[in-house]
Amino acid sequence: MIHIPNLLTATLLSSALLAGPVFAQVETAPPNAPDQTPAFEGQTRAPTPAEATAVSTEVVADGLPHLWAMEFLPDGRMLVTAKAGAMHIVSEAGNAGPEITGVPEVDSRGQGGLLDVALAPDFETSGLIYFSFSEPRDGGNGTSVASAKLVQDPGNNTGALEDVKVIFQQTPTYNGDKHFGSRLVFGPEGELYVTVGERSDVEPRVQAQDIGSGLGKTFRIDVTGAALTDNPFVDTEGALPEIWSLGHRNMQSAALDGEGRLWTVEHGPKGGDELNRPEAGKNYGWPEVTYGVDYSGAPIGEGITEKAETEQPVYYWDPVIAPSGMAYYEGAEFPAWDNSFIIGGLVAQGLVVVHLDGDQVTSEERIPLQARVRDVKVGTDGAVYAVTENSGSSQIIRVSSGS
Ligand SMILES: [Ca+2]
């Protein structure tokens, strides 16, 4: 009889031998880049919490078109974007209204489409929303951000976009269908952070390192799309003044923490999803520095995980979770998740909860939902709402602690 050692058992045994206390880890599959090692303890495969969080789930809305993002309106209804290029209002009972009129054309091939949506900080009085989308352009496409006034009729969940203005365009335009990002997050001073991708292919992706290119960047703009005057590269010749941070791959998760600081999660290649806290002018390494390997299994660049003048991720995953959407948690429903990020997992097919102590991840927990999770929000009730995508349609699932 052949005895096949269980990987979890092997991990537990080795940590028991080396470190005394035994902690289980969420991830037990072998890494794609087994020769790479974390830069510091706890940078990957953090232990699970001592006690697993009990959850119950309830489908709030079903049979929706393939969604990409969701925001709660102040009255508790939900504003959703559909990848194919539509926006809807979904009632608290889960009924979707008709398509909101006035949504501009999007290029929804591949990973493109109508992407994130954010309410203006003064939404209750202005009715303004901001959304990102893969904009069809001469010579290809690119991620753009538009503002619009949402005129609604709460009685029948209808709405219209008026005064639609494209306020920001990621450049250069590229003819591809991958890595558009994106998420939109308003900072505490009303500044708008925009995350994008680097368009994936070998030729454009190196521009993630180029501050004259808008590929692979976080941007920080005002509500008109202009660079903030205290952005890091406003006085650098040849640089795009809207850039906040560089060296990113494809950021489809972004949220503020309790102190109002921006955090992002980006898709790595085969391995190498990263949690970062992007700071002004800093370089997050892609594609020169990365955990994981290319889809072919070959190293990316020199296959290095550290380099001077580049930042280490706060945390990374190999194998990947395929992050999309994230929310900072400080609600009453899950006291154990206080000061955690709840990240949507497309490949992880559920929620990925990383608990923080200061700026370090202390534990990682998974909440399986048996569906690709595209976006995550916390409701005013403290429950967590996951937007799923399966076979081209979506559900909104409420995750609570009750039964
Ligand atoms: Ca990085």
Side-chain angles (χ1 to χ4, degrees):
M1 191 172 171
I2 302 168
H3 176 68
I4 300 168
N6 175 292
L7 278 164
L8 174 62
T9 310
T11 308
L12 290 173
L13 281 174
S14 66
S15 47
L17 289 170
L18 294 171
V22 175
F23 298 104
Q25 293 164 335
V26 165
E27 188 59 77
T28 57
N32 293 290
D35 299 334
Q36 293 179 340
T37 52
F40 53 86
E41 196 183 333
Q43 195 185 19
T44 189
R45 299 189 186 224
T48 56
E51 231 173 285
T53 306
V55 303
S56 60
T57 61
E58 171 198 359
V59 176
V60 170
D62 199 5
L64 300 169
H66 182 176
L67 301 185
W68 214 91
M70 185 268 269
E71 275 293 342
F72 281 103
L73 293 170
D75 62 10
R77 292 179 304 153
M78 295 160 271
L79 176 64
V80 298
T81 64
K83 181 182 182 295
M87 230 179 256
H88 298 266
I89 293 171
V90 180
S91 71
E92 286 180 272
N95 300 313
E99 280 190 27
I100 291 171
T101 59
V103 175
E105 191 193 342
V106 304
D107 187 341
S108 63
R109 292 173 296 167
Q111 298 170 359
L114 183 57
L115 304 173
D116 204 20
V117 62
L119 307 186
D122 65 354
F123 174 80
E124 290 206 65
T125 51
S126 71
L128 288 174
I129 65 167
Y130 292 79
F131 55 95
S132 59
F133 62 109
S134 316
E135 182 184 40
R137 302 179 192 160
D138 284 347
N141 49 42
T143 301
S144 292
V145 179
S147 65
K149 183 170 181 163
L150 174 64
V151 180
Q152 331 163 39
D153 177 359
N156 56 11
N157 302 316
T158 58
L161 298 188
E162 291 180 359
D163 200 19
V164 177
K165 282 184 249 182
V166 173
I167 62 160
F168 177 76
Q169 292 179 304
Q170 179 199 24
T171 57
T173 295
Y174 180 71
N175 192 10
D177 67 0
K178 294 185 189 68
H179 293 199
F180 296 95
S182 90
R183 292 291 168 186
L184 305 176
V185 176
F186 277 100
E189 310 294 324
E191 70 276 34
L192 178 58
Y193 293 100
V194 180
T195 73
V196 297
E198 39 55 294
R199 308 312 310 277
S200 179
D201 297 338
V202 171
E203 184 270 321
R205 77 185 184 194
V206 297
Q207 295 180 37
Q209 289 292 316
D210 177 359
I211 55 172
S213 163
L215 308 190
K217 307 296 187 306
T218 307
F219 302 100
R220 182 173 175 260
I221 56 178
D222 70 15
V223 291
T224 71
L228 274 291
T229 54
D230 59 347
N231 275 0
F233 299 115
V234 286
D235 296 324
T236 306
E237 199 179 334
L240 299 179
E242 300 91 350
I243 293 173
W244 175 253
S245 62
L246 63 143
H248 297 286
R249 189 168 180 271
N250 188 24
M251 290 177 284
Q252 295 191 326
S253 305
L256 301 183
D257 67 12
E259 296 172 40
R261 304 178 305 173
L262 181 74
W263 294 66
T264 60
V265 188
E266 64 188 63
H267 291 273
K270 199 170 169 183
D273 290 348
E274 295 185 356
L275 172 67
N276 289 303
R277 185 169 72 75
E279 292 184 87
K282 292 196 174 171
N283 181 348
Y284 291 82
W286 178 258
E288 295 184 354
V289 186
T290 182
Y291 291 90
V293 293
D294 221 333
Y295 293 115
S296 65
I300 289 171
E302 297 170 20
I304 55 174
T305 58
E306 289 189 74
K307 186 180 177 181
E309 313 285 300
T310 68
E311 304 304 310
Q312 280 293 318
V314 172
Y315 195 71
Y316 74 85
W317 290 265
D318 177 14
V320 299
I321 57 169
S324 189
M326 72 191 284
Y328 179 74
Y329 196 84
E330 49 186 354
E333 182 79 6
F334 293 104
W337 289 355
D338 196 51
N339 198 30
S340 297
F341 283 113
I342 304 174
I343 303 157
L346 296 165
V347 168
Q349 301 230 330
L351 304 175
V352 178
V353 183
V354 292
H355 304 239
L356 296 172
D357 182 8
D359 289 352
Q360 273 214 290
V361 171
T362 54
S363 69
E364 177 184 351
E365 187 174 11
R366 303 278 176 100
I367 305 297
L369 294 176
Q370 289 81 41
R372 292 164 60 85
V373 175
R374 180 48 85 182
D375 202 4
V376 182
K377 288 288 180 294
V378 177
T380 51
D381 55 359
V384 177
Y385 291 77
V387 177
T388 70
E389 56 169 35
N390 268 342
S391 309
S393 75
S394 286
Q395 291 184 328
I396 298 172
I397 297 175
R398 180 176 185 266
V399 180
S400 64
S401 62
S403 53

